[in-house]
Amino acid sequence: MPTSRSYRDSCGIARALDVVGERWALLVVRELLLAPQRFSDLRHALPGVSSNVLADRLRELEQHDVLRRDPDSGRYDLTDRGRQLEPILVALGDWGIEAPQPPPPAALSATSVLLFLRGAAHPDPAAPPVTYRLELDGRVWTLRLADGRAEVRPGEPPIADVSLRTDPATLSALLAGSAMLTATRAAVAGDPSAIDRLVRAVAEPDPG
Amino acid sequence: MPTSRSYRDSCGIARALDVVGERWALLVVRELLLAPQRFSDLRHALPGVSSNVLADRLRELEQHDVLRRDPDSGRYDLTDRGRQLEPILVALGDWGIEAPQPPPPAALSATSVLLFLRGAAHPDPAAPPVTYRLELDGRVWTLRLADGRAEVRPGEPPIADVSLRTDPATLSALLAGSAMLTATRAAVAGDPSAIDRLVRAVAEPDPG
DNA sequence: CAGGATCCTTAGCGATACTG
DNA sequence: CAGTATCGCTAAGGATCCTG
């Protein structure tokens, strides 16, 4: 039984919150920012949400034209309207970064780390492009550093300079500089120096 | 008894929602964007929130350094950190404008209308500045059109070209062009043509 | 009277078990 | 795998009642 309460307020902010203000709704949207996801993908990325609540949120968000379920693949993907939330979510995430960290154990989905990575990376614009194959939680992503910014896409890269297989928490620790690659159980193939370059691109201050 | 549940997710978006994701929290922030407000002001602006929930939200938001209560005046005001939410809320409101209107009766606070007005107004940059004295729900605001944009501040203007006393819904209807000034119970003093100019500034398309 | 605090009811949430 | 059914818990909603 989906939620059907409203703020009954004509303001755009209140009407937006009528759509995406229920618990877990914006985190579901977050998980779909980089790639479509199945029901089980979302459950794995959001271990705190129970299946009935997730089903409710997906139904409501589909009714409000934020996302759509593809009947063939069973995957949920954002609609154009849902995708318009991306800059808002990114800005909200930047704001939330300043908040105190939740006490562990805290979840960290692949999408979360990749969104952070994409936003925090400031690679040297003059350096040649690099392509990474990232395998996180068994799923493959393509990361490309080029033209001074990072681009993330789902799926296999055509060619990759380096391949890194690990989990979101380890990747996050690497990027934060709180772990050395050799001290983790990450599997690397290809040019290891490209990993250093990635870490430095995230560590260096925003040139803007 | 304040809410103290967390998404337990390290992502900045989730941590932001741990602070401002509870019901009514962002609408409280909205009400404080333009001016400090008392507890009773907030209750009036948000007729759907019950006093215990409002008290809980204010406590939580104060604990998280989003707002602060001034002991002398009893007014709640945003902190610097809370004010950083302004562009996010404005963007969320723009997104929400596209959502279907809630069935009436829907609330419409003075802050809501003034936020909409400030964002939607595109006055002729070449025209001379105009200052309005707006009295909404018994509270006085200063509105100034100058340099191609609108500025809203709480309190009496030093001098005003025109004074308009009405309620938020009537002002909204005037701005939307769905009501004529002469057909409302709005009280006007000063230069009535300045009201027309305001309506046109809102009606005209965004030059940007 | 403003600014809450208390009480009670309801509805959304969280966890687990179950089904096509 | 992709949800549905069930149930106890907790936050939200509404009214009333304190306290300066």
Side-chain angles (χ1 to χ4, degrees), chain B residues 6-42:
Chain B
S6 165
Y7 285 108
R8 295 178 176 275
D9 188 315
S10 301
C11 170
I13 297 169
R15 281 154 61 198
L17 292 173
D18 279 343
V19 175
V20 294
E22 295 295 327
R23 195 161 171 78
W24 296 105
L26 281 178
L27 295 188
V28 169
V29 175
R30 176 194 80 189
E31 285 304 311
L32 299 179
L33 284 180
L34 295 179
Q37 307 277 352
R38 300 171 192 278
F39 191 91
S40 53
D41 297 330
L42 295 171

Side-chain angles (χ1 to χ4, degrees), chain A residues 61-80:
Chain A
L61 291 172
E62 186 164 17
Q63 282 177 358
H64 286 105
D65 192 35
V66 173
L67 53 80
R68 185 174 302 127
R69 180 192 145 103
D70 179 51
D72 299 333
S73 65
R75 286 199 190 88
Y76 295 88
D77 198 2
L78 294 178
T79 61
D80 288 346

Side-chain angles (χ1 to χ4, degrees), chain A:
Chain A
M1 162 193 320
T3 310
S4 66
R5 59 180 171 187
S6 165
Y7 286 107
R8 296 179 176 273
D9 187 315
S10 301
C11 169
I13 297 169
R15 280 154 62 199
L17 292 173
D18 278 343
V19 175
V20 295
E22 297 296 327
R23 196 159 170 78
W24 296 104
L26 281 178
L27 295 188
V28 168
V29 175
R30 176 194 80 188
E31 284 304 311
L32 298 179
L33 284 180
L34 295 179
Q37 307 278 352
R38 301 172 190 278
F39 192 90
S40 53
D41 297 330
L42 295 170
R43 286 215 68 183
H44 180 258
L46 304 170
V49 68
S50 52
S51 57
N52 55 351
V53 171
L54 178 57
D56 284 353
R57 284 307 95 84
L58 289 169
R59 244 193 310 270
E60 297 158 23
L61 291 172
E62 186 164 17
Q63 282 177 358
H64 286 105
D65 192 35
V66 173
L67 53 80
R68 185 174 302 127
R69 180 192 145 103
D70 179 51
D72 299 333
S73 65
R75 286 199 190 88
Y76 295 88
D77 198 2
L78 294 178
T79 61
D80 288 346
R81 176 148 179 78
R83 203 158 294 282
Q84 290 170 9
L85 289 168
E86 177 162 351
I88 300 174
L89 276 179
V90 168
L92 193 63
D94 289 345
W95 187 85
I97 289 281
E98 306 295 325
Q101 295 264 160
L108 189 62
S109 74
T111 301
S112 298
V113 185
L114 292 171
L115 282 170
F116 166 74
L117 169 54
R118 190 187 63 176
H122 301 287
D124 180 358
V130 205
T131 301
Y132 300 80
R133 178 190 187 274
L134 297 181
E135 189 174 335
L136 299 169
D137 290 339
R139 189 150 166 186
V140 178
W141 302 83
T142 297
L143 166 66
R144 191 170 163 79
L145 302 188
D147 305 325
R149 55 197 196 83
E151 204 176 310
V152 177
R153 293 193 311 171
E156 295 279 354
I159 56 160
D161 297 289
V162 62
S163 182
L164 174 66
R165 184 175 70 243
T166 184
D167 59 283
T170 302
L171 176 56
S172 176
L174 278 173
L175 295 176
S178 61
M180 301 299 295
L181 182 56
T182 54
T184 69
R185 270 172 303 165
V188 185
D191 177 10
S193 75
I195 303 290
D196 291 336
R197 196 175 143 191
L198 174 60
V199 173
R200 267 182 285 113
V202 170
E204 271 156 27
D206 187 337

Side-chain angles (χ1 to χ4, degrees), chain B residues 131-133 160-165 181 186-195:
Chain B
T131 300
Y132 299 80
R133 179 189 187 275
D161 298 288
V162 63
S163 181
L164 175 65
R165 184 174 72 241
L181 181 55
V188 186
D191 177 10
S193 74
I195 303 289

Side-chain angles (χ1 to χ4, degrees), chain B residues 138-194:
Chain B
R139 188 149 167 186
V140 178
W141 303 83
T142 298
L143 166 66
R144 189 170 164 79
L145 301 188
D147 305 325
R149 56 199 195 80
E151 204 176 311
V152 177
R153 292 193 310 173
E156 295 278 355
I159 56 160
D161 298 288
V162 63
S163 181
L164 175 65
R165 184 174 72 241
T166 183
D167 59 282
T170 302
L171 176 56
S172 176
L174 277 173
L175 295 176
S178 59
M180 300 301 295
L181 181 55
T182 53
T184 69
R185 269 171 303 165
V188 186
D191 177 10
S193 74

